[in-house]
């Protein structure tokens, strides 16, 4: 009881202090929220605009098309129109602005990865999908390298579960699921897009994106092709031991992406190819001095699927997939740092959907897979050798899952569970969700479990004599309430409580420096998130807020010693706002701002004290402006002119754990030009 009272008092002090420091911002927001309908009057929105923020259909949370307010999960949808309005240049910027709870941290070798609800996603805790295909790499489970990656002009919309998704998607969906849904040119139109984002000394983003589709009777073909080139920063980087080096020309991200879909009646085949080429000097606490290191992140996926409609109400969907990836492929002058492992997954899945009645729906399926990590045929002298004496580590896995949705007089109830077992462990996770959408009000109540199994190379990194690592289990409680204030205004707030038991923790041997894994203790965070939307004939406004605090943290590498309510690298408060000012149907201006509260990170080593120094990173706000002009030269043409980081805050990206590396320098102010043609 004493501990609970102390925690409650701490939370009160944190919130009071935040309100005191930001009272002008909060007051301004309150005024905008309350007077916007008075200024604009009652808006005459067309049905598509109303659906966009009230009842847009989504499938990510249940694989059954359900209105957003009733879907069994806390879900955010970001549309293509919103992405263009924001002027965002890559997926990192889209998620930062539009999705409460998301921010980003840096990892070794200059890699940028997401952080969610105060928990850094250094490995398989968040699942990233492209058109339903899992793109998390299979060696460590990371959702690939996000910074400067994933060109966005081919995106139709993004659906995000802000919460667990393991019941439907398996072990990598412990905390959140991001599904990038790409354009189908046969229905949305062919397109061509070019862009350039110029900082003072070099460009940050340049790219070409195109989509083409053709329909010939029952046969359709859709393809999206993207080429992008980027520089991480034009500034100097200071490593953990104080040495400085220039990132100008030494930190590039170049990507080639192909996504092709062929459909014939109820058959489909998709091929996804992503080649990500990186050069960087940010290694493991030190700047690499033998020129920029070259690193590849390549992914190749092929999928075959058939929708077998047994009846009007029952569909059986068999699916097979083959995936091979080459992440963290490091080629440097010094062979000691070379890595040439590849990951593979072969998967077969059968899912059945039965619409029992208008108010009852049943979903179920089984899945078998084989995942492996493989060394090259002729490994170098410094390649990590496997303890089993072979050049491969393989795991056969079986999973079965089921979900039942029923609508009764007052509520919708979703019951689901998943059982998954393999050589690396067994997990059973259930979930229960209650939702209801009335005229203006909706609510959701959810409790469920999710898991993360040991993946890829991790079992090979267990120290001799240490216990075998087992799946970590997360238990999440969520509640959401939303209210349609007027015909054109919506407010929603949700709270969450996440407890991860036996988290799989990365560490390093103090003598050899070799990384290792073990289960350790508990990580427990709580918080709230909210979103406000106003759509008018002349003005739009979208705002979101996210707050987390730590209840318990046994993970020593992520705790902040002088502030136990925070985790390393993660700000407690995140606020985003984007407005739209419509001068006429073809011209609109979109200012946006993102606020990050203070955060902490171990950024340097002190030779005098012979210890790591914890540094406080002050709060910062990034402001952007984008001018969107449609039908410029002819029908279907569009020009976007923008400024990113208007006041040149140049926010660094802090490491997400005590990793003996400094922050990765962020981008500088940039002027952006994008030209698009839809035909």
């Amino acid at each position: 009881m004493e501990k609970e009272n102390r925690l409650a008092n701490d939370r009160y002090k944190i919130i009071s202090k935040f309100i005191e420091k930001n009272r002008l911002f909060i007051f301004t927001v309150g005024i905008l929220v309350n007077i916007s309908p008075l200024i604009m009057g009652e808006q005459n929105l067309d049905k598509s605009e109303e659906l966009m923020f009230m009842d847009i259909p989504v499938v990510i949370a249940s694989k059954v098309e359900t209105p957003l307010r009733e879907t069994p999960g806390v879900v955010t949808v970001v549309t293509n129109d919103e992405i263009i309005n924001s002027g965002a240049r890559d997926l990192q910027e889209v998620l930062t602005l539009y999705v409460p709870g998301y921010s980003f941290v840096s990892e070794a070798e200059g890699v940028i990865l997401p952080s969610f609800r105060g928990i850094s996603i250094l490995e398989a805790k968040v699942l990233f999908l492209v058109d339903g295909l899992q793109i998390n790499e299979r060696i460590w489970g990371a959702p690939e390298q996000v910074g400067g990656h994933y060109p966005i002009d081919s995106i139709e919309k993004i659906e995000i579960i802000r919460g667990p998704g393991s019941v439907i998607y398996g072990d990598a969906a412990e905390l959140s699921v991001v599904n990038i849904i790409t354009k189908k040119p046969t229905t949305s139109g062919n397109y061509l897009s070019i862009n350039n984002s110029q900082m003072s000394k070099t460009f940050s983003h340049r790219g070409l994106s195109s989509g083409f589709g053709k329909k010939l009777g029952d046969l359709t073909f859709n393809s999206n092709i993207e080429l992008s080139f980027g520089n991480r920063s034009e500034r100097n980087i200071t490593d953990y031991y104080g040495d400085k080096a220039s990132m100008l020309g030494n930190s590039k991200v170049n990507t080639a992406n192909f996504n092709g879909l062929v459909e014939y009646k109820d058959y489909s085949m998709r091929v996804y190819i992503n080649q990500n080429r990186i050069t960087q000097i940010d290694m493991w606490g030190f700047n690499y001095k033998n020129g920029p290191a070259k690193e590849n992140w390549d992914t190749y996926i092929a999928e075959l699927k058939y929708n077998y409609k047994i009846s009007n109400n029952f569909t059986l969907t068999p699916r097979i997939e083959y995936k091979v990836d080459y992440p963290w492929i490091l080629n440097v002058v010094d062979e000691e740092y070379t890595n040439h492992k590849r990951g593979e997954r072969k998967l077969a899945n059968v899912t059945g959907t039965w619409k029992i009645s208008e108010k009852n729906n049943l979903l179920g399926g089984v899945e078998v897979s084989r995942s492996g990590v493989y060394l090259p045929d002729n490994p170098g002298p410094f390649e990590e050798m496997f303890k089993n004496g072979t050049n491969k580590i393989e795991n056969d896995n079986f999973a079965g899952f089921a979900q039942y949705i029923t609508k009764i007089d007052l509520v919708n109830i979703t019951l689901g569970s998943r059982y998954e077992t393999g050589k690396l462990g067994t997990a059973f996770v259930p979930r229960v969700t209650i939702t209801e959408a009335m005229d203006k009000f909706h609510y959701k109540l959810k409790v469920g479990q999710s898991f993360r199994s040991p993946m890829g190379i991790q079992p090979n990194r267990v120290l001799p004599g240490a216990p075998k690592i087992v799946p970590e289990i997360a238990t999440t409680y969520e509640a959401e309430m939303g209210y349609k204030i007027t015909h054109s205004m919506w407010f929603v707030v949700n709270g969450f409580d996440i407890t991860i038991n036996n988290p799989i923790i990365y560490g390093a041997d103090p003598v050899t420096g070799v990384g290792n894994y073990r289960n350790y203790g508990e990580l427990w965070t709580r918080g709230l998130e909210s979103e406000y939307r106003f759509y008018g004939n002349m003005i739009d406004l979208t705002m979101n807020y996210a707050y987390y605090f730590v209840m318990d943290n046994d993970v020593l590498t992520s705790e902040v010693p002088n502030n136990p309510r925070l985790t390393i690298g993660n700000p407690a408060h995140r606020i985003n706002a984007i407005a739209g000012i419509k001068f006429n149907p073809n011209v609109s201006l979109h200012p946006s701002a993102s606020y990050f509260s203070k955060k902490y990170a171990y950024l340097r080593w002190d030779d005098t004290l012979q210890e790591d120094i914890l540094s406080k990173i002050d709060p910062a706000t990034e402001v952007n402006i984008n001018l969107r002009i449609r039908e410029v030269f002819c029908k279907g043409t569009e020009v976007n002119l923008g400024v990113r980081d208007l006041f040149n805050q140049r926010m660094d990206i802090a490491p997400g754990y005590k990793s003996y590396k400094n922050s990765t320098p962020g981008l500088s102010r940039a002027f952006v030009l994008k030209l698009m043609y839809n035909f």
Side-chain angles (χ1 to χ4, degrees), residues 115 178 206 259 352 366 379 439 529 532 555-556 598 619 629 638:
S115 178
V178 177
R206 282 179 182 168
N259 189 347
V366 294
D439 180 33
E529 298 152 352
Y532 168 82
V555 183
L556 300 181
K598 69 180 179 183
I629 309 173
E638 181 173 328

Side-chain angles (χ1 to χ4, degrees), residues 212-248:
F212 174 77
K214 189 72 174 177
K215 184 174 178 62
L216 300 170
D218 292 329
L219 180 67
T220 60
F221 171 77
N222 292 280
S223 67
N224 296 288
I225 301 173
E226 294 165 304
L227 298 173
S228 69
F229 310 91
N231 284 283
R232 299 273 187 88
S233 181
E234 59 182 7
R235 299 157 54 202
N236 290 336
I237 181 172
T238 302
D239 68 20
Y240 204 72
Y241 302 99
D243 293 332
K244 292 185 178 181
S246 174
M247 294 186 73
L248 185 62

